[in-house]
Amino acid sequence: MNDHPETHFVDEHVPEDGARVILRNGRFVDVINGRYFGPEVSVVLQGDRIAAMPGVPGQDSDMRPDFAIDLGGRTVLPGLFNTHCHINMASTTMLPRLGDISLNKKHRERQRAKNMAECLAHGITNIRDAYTEDLRCNWALREEISRGEMPGPRIVQSVVVGPPGSYLAEKLGVVLRIMGSATLGITRIDHSRSEAGVVEFSIDATAGEVRDAVDRAIDERGAEAIKIGEQRENMSNRKPNSTIMRIDQLEALSNQASRRGKKTLMHHTSVESFRRGVRAGVSTLSHLPFDASLTKEDVEAFKAAECIMEPTISVAYGITWKIKGDPLFDHPEMNRLTQYRDKVYTYAALADEYYLPELRDSLIWSYKNKASGKFKVLGLLNMSRMFRYYTQQVWHGFDNFRLLFEHGARMALSNDGGIPPCTPAMMAFELDFFDFVLGREPGMKRLSGAEAARIATINSACSMGLEKDFGSIEPGKMADLVIIDGDPFEDPHVLGSRVAALFMDGRLRINNCGLEIQQGGADQQEMPARVDG
């Protein structure tokens, strides 16, 4: 049950800039150690930072606040993350009818704005866009958010670097061009342009030329992370892709990004790519290998390399379906997934929570079409071959996820949001899908509340290179604080649910629970923060 069905964004923050605001009577979560700070602990905000934590040994307990807020015993977490999403993609289906194309185009800007607001409404204050073709779209969106013209999280922008013909730089056929432009909002542009989200280097590039391409992505395109695409099948026809970086190129790319202080994230779906990414020193591996089984040795090498996995496991919910004639049609995990999608976490529930009402019917139709085994674009172009490719996620993919999790591989929170039906705000759904995949049999290791909190906060901050400023409640860090009802250690499902309140940059941005600001930090006149009604 959602205790906060409506989100009230605060119009005006009462304390002036530089004022000290003490937050009292909250259960502050120590995500690093998987526990609560003691009940005597409070948090003092000043400017956009946490200034002090009175009650913690060694902290200043005599700091006189200018204002005080009583949190009413609610739980306080650091801001959450989505480390891998696509903010410029706001569509209901990858298999549209003509009417769906028109509908999605008409409402794309509003749905994208809703996605940004819903991130905050669910406690997500930092996201990483993993790829967009035309960076100007995201640059404009970030400007709107920074100017206060719309609510939204901070956006870390990735730029793809790779050879022509590789993933996200390959020549697309007519079907994928239609799907990209008409349904997902991705219109290809010349990658030599300074606003393109892909920087290419020649297939036979030297290590120095690869390093130069990384520098161009950072200096010319403003890349805050470097995306690597290693897809061993062409996206258009699923035939083997011969354009795979040499290992020396991959190592040079990863090393140069690290020299420039940028993280790398690598799209991969194969065990071989997993191993190459670990060997090359890639920061984060995106998605999961599902062509074969990982070994325990693979996991130990992954951990030794201090790599992080962003499994985007809930992508399987939207792209893995029963297909007649497929060997995995009646696989037990496919049956579990079908039941979960039909009965537990439905398209209707996701539509009601995260989509504009005008798009609800389109989303539900997409579900019904795929559930009945129909995989056609415009009712003509059969895409079952593409969807059949992803059915192995319920076999090797889920097993590899369990192996990584059970052996302590560090994971970040992300969902490839923008791939229908997922949006960037669906982190509660991603964590629920963690639990679904891990809960195959009684006695298997499950997702604990402490692990879920670490994944959603400090692990994800590390994946994005933001751990010095975000990811935990500590003096000196940015004052992004999520106020929720419930106990995440007892019920991980409250993580990513609608917030009771949200502080971002030290300011109260959402107030759904009637928090009141008291002058002087003592028993003086109360000044309720004004909210958007």
Side-chain angles (χ1 to χ4, degrees), residues 292-334:
S293 296
L294 294 171
T295 66
K296 291 181 181 179
E297 290 74 20
D298 289 326
V299 179
E300 291 308 313
F302 176 91
K303 291 164 60 179
E306 299 185 346
C307 196
I308 298 176
M309 176 65 68
E310 44 183 31
T312 66
I313 191 71
S314 59
V315 171
Y317 178 97
I319 62 177
T320 305
W321 299 80
K322 284 178 172 285
I323 300 176
K324 289 182 180 179
D326 186 83
L328 297 175
F329 181 87
D330 207 31
H331 189 280
E333 290 292 83
M334 184 69 81

Side-chain angles (χ1 to χ4, degrees), residues 213-407:
V214 172
D215 288 339
R216 288 202 310 277
I218 297 169
D219 299 329
E220 182 180 86
R221 317 289 170 92
E224 295 160 305
I226 302 298
K227 170 76 173 287
I228 303 162
E230 182 154 313
Q231 178 69 40
R232 294 184 168 268
E233 300 81 15
N234 289 311
M235 295 299 290
S236 54
N237 56 23
R238 298 294 155 181
K239 293 181 179 179
N241 185 353
S242 60
T243 309
I244 300 293
M245 273 190 243
R246 301 190 313 266
I247 189 64
D248 65 298
Q249 292 174 330
L250 186 57
E251 289 172 341
L253 188 155
S254 177
N255 179 261
Q256 185 65 13
S258 180
R259 283 184 181 183
R260 296 294 307 272
K262 307 301 180 185
K263 295 294 184 179
T264 45
L265 57 157
M266 177 175 166
H267 169 101
H268 81 299
T269 60
S270 73
V271 169
E272 180 60 24
S273 293
F274 176 97
R275 291 168 179 164
R276 279 165 43 86
V278 170
R279 175 182 168 183
V282 171
S283 308
T284 298
L285 291 179
S286 306
H287 319 309
L288 289 160
F290 55 77
D291 66 326
S293 296
L294 294 171
T295 66
K296 291 181 181 179
E297 290 74 20
D298 289 326
V299 179
E300 291 308 313
F302 176 91
K303 291 164 60 179
E306 299 185 346
C307 196
I308 298 176
M309 176 65 68
E310 44 183 31
T312 66
I313 191 71
S314 59
V315 171
Y317 178 97
I319 62 177
T320 305
W321 299 80
K322 284 178 172 285
I323 300 176
K324 289 182 180 179
D326 186 83
L328 297 175
F329 181 87
D330 207 31
H331 189 280
E333 290 292 83
M334 184 69 81
N335 292 332
R336 282 186 69 234
L337 174 58
T338 300
Q339 184 179 31
Y340 177 86
R341 198 161 39 208
D342 292 349
K343 304 294 184 183
V344 180
Y345 223 132
T346 66
Y347 264 57
L350 294 177
D352 291 341
E353 178 83 358
Y354 297 101
Y355 278 84
L356 295 170
E358 294 90 338
L359 297 176
R360 188 182 190 279
D361 288 346
S362 178
L363 197 74
I364 300 303
W365 177 87
S366 175
Y367 156 74
K368 291 179 178 178
N369 217 34
K370 288 177 287 190
S372 62
K374 299 175 183 178
F375 300 93
K376 292 184 177 181
V377 174
L378 301 176
L380 299 171
L381 303 171
N382 193 339
M383 298 298 294
S384 60
R385 184 174 183 175
M386 184 190 80
F387 280 87
R388 184 177 282 108
Y389 171 79
Y390 290 105
T391 60
Q392 288 195 83
Q393 290 190 99
V394 300
W395 179 20
H396 293 305
F398 285 6
D399 283 347
N400 287 335
F401 174 76
R402 295 184 189 106
L403 182 72
L404 286 159
F405 184 83
E406 289 169 1
H407 288 84

Side-chain angles (χ1 to χ4, degrees), residues 439-494:
R440 178 182 60 181
E441 296 175 2
M444 295 182 70
K445 183 178 179 181
R446 303 295 293 270
L447 179 67
S448 71
E451 288 168 316
R454 276 193 294 271
I455 289 167
T457 57
I458 191 63
N459 284 9
S460 295
C462 290
S463 176
M464 291 174 60
L466 300 177
E467 67 275 16
K468 290 183 179 180
D469 286 319
F470 300 96
S472 58
I473 302 175
E474 298 179 60
K477 287 199 171 184
M478 295 292 288
D480 284 11
L481 299 172
V482 178
I483 318 300
I484 61 173
D485 298 312
D487 184 345
F489 294 145
E490 293 294 327
D491 180 13
H493 295 91
V494 302

Side-chain angles (χ1 to χ4, degrees), residues 130-152:
Y131 156 72
T132 194
E133 188 68 16
D134 189 337
L135 295 170
R136 291 173 297 183
C137 301
N138 291 356
W139 293 340
L141 184 65
R142 287 208 295 194
E143 281 297 311
E144 289 182 73
I145 292 172
S146 67
R147 292 195 298 263
E149 295 170 9
M150 72 163 65

Side-chain angles (χ1 to χ4, degrees), residues 420-435:
C422 294
T423 77
M426 291 185 186
M427 294 298 90
F429 179 51
E430 175 75 7
L431 287 171
D432 194 85
F433 212 78
F434 267 55
D435 199 49

